[in-house]
Amino acid sequence: MLSVSLNGMFFKNPLILASGILDESGDTMVRIARAGAGGIVTKSIGSKERAGYPNPVIYELPDGMGIINAIGLANPGIDSYGDEIKIAKTAGVPVIGSIFGSSPEEFVFLAKKMERYGVDAVELNLSCPHARGYGMEVGTDKELVEEIVSEVKKAVRVPVWAKLTPNTHSLIEIATSASAADALVLINTVRGMAIDIDARLPVLSNRVGGLSGPCIKPIGIRAVYEVSSELNVPVIGVGGVTSGRDAIEYIMAGAKAVEVGTAVYLRGISVFSQIVREMEEWMLKNDVGGVEELVGVAQRR
Amino acid sequence: MYRVVVIKDIVDEAKNVKTFRFEDDSRPSPGQFYMVWIPGIDEFPMSISYIGNLKGFTVKKIGAGTSRMHDLHVGDRLWIRGPYGNGFEITEGKALVVGGGSGMATLAPLIEKLDNRDIIIAAKSKDELVFLNRFRDLEPIIATDDGSMGYHGLATNLAEKLLVENDYDIVYTCGPEPMMSAMVQIAKKYGVEIQASLERFMKCGIGICDSCSINGYRVCVDGPVFNSSILFSMTEFGKVRRTPSGKKEELG
């Protein structure tokens, strides 16, 4: 009922752990898969070890609206990541290796390493909103995006996903530049800031971070809707998916699958099995036999 | 969102260890922790050492944040969020509590809730023993590595001796990782339940960044207190930890 085929990969359900959430160590990824995730995207891995920003790296918004984070692309570096992938792969769900770099050459180098480690696909982080020289600073340059995607496509056999930023006025143009990818992942976090008025200072040590959670869902829905109606590339929806209804909303906007991140904080690790149950209940009630029937239905008039 | 609390009292507990008392109406259970932010300096996890309305953090000077905290005065402010994590689960029967150094801070509110317990307060040396006065009426057994007070030797050797001589239903421990790791092995050997409060480099405190994970268990949300079955299954505990980048390193 919930299974999805995408780029030749089989997902038992369309709920994929989003990059950056509990996906640095292989053991944790295995645990998330056992908790019901249909697939796992790793933390974004770069060519060198990075400690990330000093604390505070997280700001919790009140009333479960979401969080702002600036972890700062902390990662152990690609050379020590093979063991984590090997462990993660034992979970039996697709493992997608997320990578970040500043040039096509760096992305190619990382993608080839990830492929050698055994990932089922790679996800290009073209969208982290809080790391100088990486992420959205690369991902808002249309020519660079096009070159990165096409060079990585030439270099590896596994599917290539491009994760794009909402922090732009030219989303469709950027998505078009990335359309050689096997799938587009929309959206990464929204660039934001929180100031503590008692301290009279921004809370995050990096000052600026990425806003995620329920409060950004309408931005993600709009992005998925616009891009999937313009381009003939599979789209994966991310941004505030917290319930079965949220996942179905993204799928109706045009997403083939969704990624779940901040909801792990809001509802715990069991959020994957909870969303699965909520989707199944809605589908039974509404006589929907398979989730793939729902992809993009909101675009038809 | 942080809450701002005002320091009402500061007590010198031991060498490089101070208690900071403050009012806050959250209701933590023993073993839980808060994230403490000192604006412009650092944010770090701190377990709660007094859980009534007049709460307390008992802080050892270790890094930039805790050093700055030691320079604060009565009337200064702390920014806190929490409580986070799970606490100790109180088990029926006779308990052995083994606290090493500032690990006593985490165990103190638990000790006050136990009816039937023996307490080991241990440290490297006499001047590092925490909460001797607070628990004087409970007749704690003291151990120092250098023999400057009480039993001369490791807390775990003393604990093993007590486990041989007495019947305990549960061991609660907090302290340096080599001590806790040895304590877990001893509890396993004598078939006694154990709960240990673990420590790892922590970033988010809310269970999403994977920094503090040990074998897939998040110290910040699934812990910091873990029970026997999980402790026995952890292959990294006592051996491996992760640096802020997430890279594994051997425990020295």
Side-chain angles (χ1 to χ4, degrees), chain A residues 20-28 31 43 49-62 67 71 74-76 80 84 87 196 198-199 201-203 261-262 264-265 269, chain B residues 1-2 4 35 37 39-45 77 79 81-82 84 201-211 213-218 222 235-236 242-248:
Chain A
I21 305 286
L22 289 183
D23 46 12
E24 188 162 69
S25 79
D27 285 336
T28 314
R31 191 162 168 231
K43 186 156 281 198
E49 180 181 6
R50 241 176 102 103
Y53 301 131
N55 277 5
V57 293
I58 286 276
Y59 178 78
E60 298 173 74
L61 281 100
I67 55 183
I71 299 280
N75 80 97
S80 38
E84 310 293 353
I87 295 167
D196 186 286
D198 297 302
L201 277 176
V203 172
T262 305
V264 174
Y265 150 67
I269 280 178
Chain B
M1 291 279 285
Y2 291 92
V4 179
M35 294 299 284
W37 180 40
I41 307 291
D42 197 6
E43 185 198 43
F44 45 90
R77 297 176 295 174
W79 277 250
R81 54 188 178 104
Y84 293 123
F201 186 82
M202 200 177 279
K203 291 185 179 180
C204 76
I206 55 173
I208 56 172
C209 78
D210 209 14
S211 293
S213 295
I214 306 178
N215 290 116
Y217 293 99
R218 301 161 294 172
D222 303 309
T235 55
E236 292 179 356
R242 286 169 193 272
T243 67
S245 74
K247 195 171 181 169
K248 282 183 187 176

Side-chain angles (χ1 to χ4, degrees), chain A residues 3 93 109 111 118 120 181 183 217 238 255 260 284 299:
Chain A
S3 66
V93 303
F109 165 77
D120 298 278
K217 192 186 70 176
V238 205
V260 177
L284 283 172
Q299 292 177 14

Side-chain angles (χ1 to χ4, degrees), chain A residues 122-124 126 145 149 160-164 178 181-186:
Chain A
V122 291
E123 183 178 279
L124 312 177
L126 299 168
V145 166
V149 173
V160 176
W161 295 0
K163 187 169 181 180
L164 305 181
D182 297 285
L184 300 176
V185 182
L186 301 163

Side-chain angles (χ1 to χ4, degrees), chain A residues 15-301:
Chain A
L15 310 175
I16 302 167
L17 178 69
S19 182
I21 305 286
L22 289 183
D23 46 12
E24 188 162 69
S25 79
D27 285 336
T28 314
M29 292 188 265
V30 168
R31 191 162 168 231
I32 298 281
R34 291 201 179 126
I40 302 279
V41 186
T42 69
K43 186 156 281 198
S44 290
I45 305 297
S47 41
K48 288 201 187 77
E49 180 181 6
R50 241 176 102 103
Y53 301 131
N55 277 5
V57 293
I58 286 276
Y59 178 78
E60 298 173 74
L61 281 100
D63 308 320
M65 285 193 288
I67 55 183
I68 309 176
N69 91 81
I71 299 280
L73 293 174
N75 80 97
I78 192 75
D79 288 335
S80 38
Y81 211 61
D83 282 348
E84 310 293 353
I85 296 287
K86 204 163 126 192
I87 295 167
K89 281 294 294 170
T90 63
V93 303
V95 173
I96 296 99
S98 173
I99 53 178
F100 72 92
S102 57
S103 65
E105 295 73 28
E106 197 174 6
F107 272 101
V108 164
F109 165 77
L110 293 164
K112 285 171 131 172
K113 283 253 180 181
M114 279 288 190
E115 182 175 51
R116 208 169 314 139
Y117 291 155
V119 296
D120 298 278
V122 291
E123 183 178 279
L124 312 177
N125 180 343
L126 299 168
S127 42
C128 171
H130 54 70
R132 185 152 300 166
Y134 296 109
M136 67 172 269
E137 291 192 12
V138 173
T140 47
D141 179 332
K142 292 186 276 272
E143 286 75 33
L144 194 50
V145 166
E146 188 165 357
E147 199 185 340
I148 290 167
V149 173
S150 65
E151 290 300 315
V152 173
K153 271 299 291 172
K154 274 188 255 168
V156 296
R157 269 185 229 117
V158 293
V160 176
W161 295 0
K163 187 169 181 180
L164 305 181
T165 179
N167 302 298
T168 171
H169 62 279
S170 49
L171 178 66
I172 299 294
E173 286 94 323
I174 292 167
T176 306
S177 309
S179 59
D182 297 285
L184 300 176
V185 182
L186 301 163
I187 54 177
N188 204 316
T189 54
V190 178
R191 205 167 143 85
M193 181 189 274
I195 290 169
D196 186 286
I197 63 166
D198 297 302
R200 304 179 179 212
L201 277 176
V203 172
L204 301 173
S205 72
N206 186 56
R207 300 190 293 277
V208 166
L211 176 64
S212 64
C215 62
I216 69 162
K217 192 186 70 176
I219 302 172
I221 295 287
R222 183 266 302 164
V224 167
Y225 187 99
E226 285 181 355
V227 169
S228 61
S229 44
E230 284 290 323
L231 300 174
N232 195 23
V233 182
V235 170
I236 295 153
V238 205
V241 175
T242 309
S243 68
R245 295 187 73 89
D246 297 335
I248 290 168
E249 187 179 349
Y250 266 103
I251 290 163
M252 287 186 173
K256 290 274 288 177
V258 297
E259 292 181 2
V260 177
T262 305
V264 174
Y265 150 67
L266 295 170
R267 299 182 75 185
I269 280 178
S270 64
V271 65
F272 294 95
S273 57
Q274 294 175 55
I275 296 179
V276 161
R277 199 174 55 244
E278 290 159 4
M279 290 179 79
E280 284 172 348
E281 275 168 19
W282 188 91
M283 286 165 66
L284 283 172
K285 211 178 280 176
N286 291 277
D287 243 355
V288 178
V291 71
E292 291 184 312
E293 294 168 30
L294 296 173
V295 176
V297 294
Q299 292 177 14
R300 296 176 210 135
R301 297 176 187 221

Side-chain angles (χ1 to χ4, degrees), chain B:
Chain B
M1 291 279 285
Y2 291 92
R3 304 190 293 284
V4 179
V5 298
V6 177
I7 298 169
K8 298 276 179 200
D9 191 20
I10 300 176
V11 181
D12 271 309
E13 302 287 1
K15 187 174 132 195
N16 292 328
V17 180
K18 286 184 182 180
T19 294
F20 299 81
R21 304 299 299 271
F22 59 95
E23 281 173 14
D24 176 58
D25 55 12
S26 59
R27 304 173 73 90
S29 50
Q32 285 193 297
F33 71 95
Y34 293 74
M35 294 299 284
V36 179
W37 180 40
I38 301 180
I41 307 291
D42 197 6
E43 185 198 43
F44 45 90
M46 192 51 63
S47 60
I48 193 85
S49 62
Y50 290 89
I51 60 173
N53 195 46
L54 186 62
K55 294 189 168 54
F57 293 130
T58 299
V59 181
K60 185 173 183 181
K61 204 199 283 193
I62 298 171
T66 51
S67 296
R68 179 57 189 268
M69 198 162 165
H70 270 238
D71 294 336
L72 296 179
H73 302 99
V74 170
D76 286 341
R77 297 176 295 174
L78 296 171
W79 277 250
I80 65 171
R81 54 188 178 104
Y84 293 123
N86 64 8
F88 291 99
E89 199 178 304
I90 292 178
T91 301
E92 291 288 304
K94 189 171 172 70
L96 176 62
V97 183
V98 184
S102 55
M104 274 301 294
T106 306
L107 294 165
L110 169 76
I111 289 170
E112 289 175 339
K113 288 197 181 252
L114 297 173
D115 298 322
N116 187 6
R117 70 267 165 282
D118 289 335
I119 305 161
I120 296 175
I121 299 183
K124 284 200 188 82
S125 189
K126 184 182 166 182
D127 58 357
E128 293 175 61
L129 293 162
V130 173
F131 290 150
L132 284 188
N133 282 337
R134 180 172 175 183
F135 295 118
R136 182 181 295 149
D137 295 346
L138 303 181
E139 296 174 355
I141 309 159
I142 291 154
T144 51
D145 296 358
D146 65 1
S148 51
M149 191 172 176
Y151 175 85
H152 184 176
L154 295 176
T156 43
N157 293 345
L158 176 59
E160 183 160 9
K161 215 162 110 217
L162 291 177
L163 280 166
V164 171
E165 291 164 3
N166 303 279
D167 277 331
Y168 293 103
D169 298 287
I170 175 90
V171 175
Y172 299 102
T173 187
C174 185
E177 187 151 335
M179 183 200 95
M180 288 197 285
S181 161
M183 205 56 243
V184 166
Q185 291 311 313
I186 291 166
K188 194 175 180 181
K189 179 173 162 192
Y190 292 93
V192 183
E193 288 291 308
I194 183 165
Q195 293 176 26
S197 176
L198 308 193
E199 199 172 23
R200 277 293 181 275
F201 186 82
M202 200 177 279
K203 291 185 179 180
C204 76
I206 55 173
I208 56 172
C209 78
D210 209 14
S211 293
C212 67
S213 295
I214 306 178
N215 290 116
Y217 293 99
R218 301 161 294 172
V219 169
C220 67
V221 168
D222 303 309
V225 179
F226 293 94
N227 65 24
S228 308
S229 62
I230 293 175
L231 290 166
F232 294 165
S233 77
M234 283 177 166
T235 55
E236 292 179 356
F237 176 52
K239 297 191 178 70
V240 174
R241 67 177 169 202
R242 286 169 193 272
T243 67
S245 74
K247 195 171 181 169
K248 282 183 187 176
E249 68 174 10
E250 305 285 322
L251 273 169

